[in-house]
Amino acid sequence: MTHRMPALLGPEPVFPPVELALREPDGLLAVGGDLSIPRLLAAYRHGIFPWYSAGQPILWWSPDPRMVFLTEDGVRLSSKFRRELRRSAWSVRADTRFAEVIEACAKTPRPGQRGTWIVPAMRKAYGALHDAGHAHSVEVFDGDRLVGGLYGVAVGAMFFAESMYSGESGGSKVALAALAHRLREWGWPLIDAQVENDHLVRMGARTMAREAFMRVVGSQASADEAPASWTERFGTLEAATLSAA
């Protein structure tokens, strides 16, 4: 039996059609290239993301199905956690501590994962995307102390979540719920969560066939949304507000 290999990328920021991604491992589409801003934006516009470990070449993925959150449904929070949020003094902001958030995500242990895929080259690349107004962090604060957050990439009116972390219990849940809350207000329908895992399912994520996902991405990524800092647009959201979201 002949096994198809992932595409080897050249110097131009172009990718093969996502339909050519492998079934095993699910979604592996291409190898190589770089993490330049044009390459990363081209990838996200086509439903592709980089994911690799230290010592590996850059690997590019487009799994089928895709894991997503529908912003109109929000994020599923338990009744107990909602009761705790009603008394919470936490607040949520955006794009004020991007470097700290991505560093914390890189250092957070993941079940079944040795080391981190957020290698220094990835941190540098997403820092450049952040400086260009495309990568954003959502940050949860207890006073001035960072207690959780997430980061990801916005292209048009489509948000591609990359990673999240909790410095205190529930910090990542609050960041994700706050993001869904704001994106729903802005009319952004979807948060890409990439690959299925039990934790995301418990919070309300669902699978979407890649073909359907790509239709949404094609529409939303071409929306007229200029790249910019989210600090002012996102504002400050009190975590207690999310108890009734």
Side-chain angles (χ1 to χ4, degrees):
M1 180 181 294
T2 301
H3 293 279
R4 188 160 49 84
M5 300 295 289
L8 182 62
L9 298 182
E12 296 301 315
V14 295
F15 291 88
V18 295
E19 292 79 12
L20 296 180
L22 303 184
R23 297 304 309 174
E24 183 58 42
D26 180 32
L28 180 58
L29 176 67
V31 177
D34 54 38
L35 296 173
S36 66
I37 290 177
R39 176 94 62 179
L40 286 168
L41 293 180
Y44 284 105
R45 288 190 182 104
H46 293 89
I48 302 162
F49 58 89
W51 186 26
Y52 67 104
S53 299
Q56 292 181 323
I58 303 172
L59 305 177
W60 301 88
W61 303 79
S62 182
D64 186 15
R66 195 73 164 231
M67 202 68 177
V68 301
F69 287 92
L70 303 182
T71 61
E72 66 178 11
D73 294 342
V75 173
R76 186 183 301 145
L77 304 174
S78 70
S79 298
K80 178 183 177 182
F81 190 63
R82 289 180 185 274
R83 287 195 298 272
E84 293 171 354
L85 281 181
R86 293 188 194 110
R87 303 186 299 272
S88 175
W90 289 0
S91 59
V92 189
R93 301 194 285 274
D95 285 350
T96 68
R97 302 275 190 91
F98 183 87
E100 289 181 52
V101 169
I102 194 170
E103 185 73 17
C105 289
K107 292 179 177 179
T108 297
R110 314 285 176 180
Q113 179 177 307
R114 297 174 60 188
T116 179
W117 57 271
I118 310 175
V119 296
M122 292 281 269
R123 295 199 289 274
K124 181 178 179 181
Y126 285 85
L129 272 183
H130 172 68
D131 292 341
H134 291 288
H136 303 283
S137 56
V138 176
E139 308 131 0
V140 184
F141 291 91
D142 183 359
D144 291 328
R145 187 166 57 90
L146 194 64
V147 295
L150 62 81
Y151 78 95
V153 176
V155 182
M158 180 70 203
F159 190 83
F160 303 87
E162 280 293 322
S163 187
M164 58 186 182
Y165 89 100
S166 291
E168 290 192 10
S169 178
S172 62
K173 291 180 184 178
V174 169
L176 187 58
L179 174 65
H181 181 86
R182 279 291 187 251
L183 294 186
R184 182 172 65 245
E185 291 180 336
W186 299 349
W188 296 30
L190 213 62
I191 299 171
D192 173 35
Q194 297 182 346
V195 180
E196 182 174 1
N197 67 54
D198 292 341
H199 181 57
L200 295 177
V201 171
R202 286 193 295 270
M203 290 194 293
R206 62 183 66 188
T207 56
M208 177 180 283
R210 184 170 56 207
E211 183 177 359
F213 176 76
M214 291 304 301
R215 286 197 295 269
V216 177
V217 170
S219 171
Q220 295 303 123
S222 61
D224 186 18
E225 293 274 0
S229 170
W230 276 7
T231 302
E232 183 175 347
R233 184 180 188 185
F234 195 96
T236 299
L237 182 64
E238 301 303 326
T241 304
L242 301 170
S243 65

